[in-house]
C-alpha cells in the first residue's frame, strides 16, 4: 500500500463534490453531506447562521 507524500493529496476537490443547494444569504454552494439550516423554506449555510444569532441585552 502506498500513501501520498503530502496531506494535500487528501483534500476535497469542490469540482468533484455534488452540489445540492445554495445558501440564500451568501450564495455559496451546499454540498452532499454538509450541514445547513432550512428556515421557512430559506436555505442558510452554517457560516451565515451566526449573522442571525443575537444575545439578549437590556
Amino acid at each position: 500500500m502506498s500513501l501520498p507524500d503530502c496531506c494535500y493529496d487528501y483534500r476535497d476537490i469542490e469540482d468533484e463534490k455534488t452540489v445540492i443547494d445554495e445558501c440564500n444569504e451568501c450564495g455559496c454552494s451546499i454540498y452532499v453531506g454538509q450541514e445547513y439550516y432550512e428556515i421557512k423554506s430559506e436555505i442558510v449555510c452554517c457560516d451565515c447562521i451566526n449573522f442571525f444569532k443575537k444575545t439578549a441585552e437590556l
Side-chain angles (χ1 to χ4, degrees):
M1 178 177 176
S2 177
L3 295 175
D5 294 330
C6 179
C7 67
Y8 292 110
D9 292 336
Y10 292 109
R11 71 176 183 252
D12 292 328
I13 300 172
E14 286 188 8
D15 294 340
E16 295 178 4
K17 294 181 182 179
T18 302
V19 176
I20 60 158
D21 220 322
E22 185 176 281
C23 176
N24 293 116
E25 289 298 310
C26 69
C28 288
S29 298
I30 308 281
Y31 298 99
V32 171
Q34 188 177 13
E35 293 182 336
Y36 65 96
Y37 295 87
E38 186 173 345
I39 305 167
K40 294 186 178 181
S41 74
E42 293 290 317
I43 303 296
V44 182
C45 70
C46 292
D47 292 334
C48 288
I49 200 69
N50 287 326
F51 175 76
F52 297 102
K53 183 179 177 180
K54 303 292 182 207
T55 301
E57 297 179 9
L58 286 175

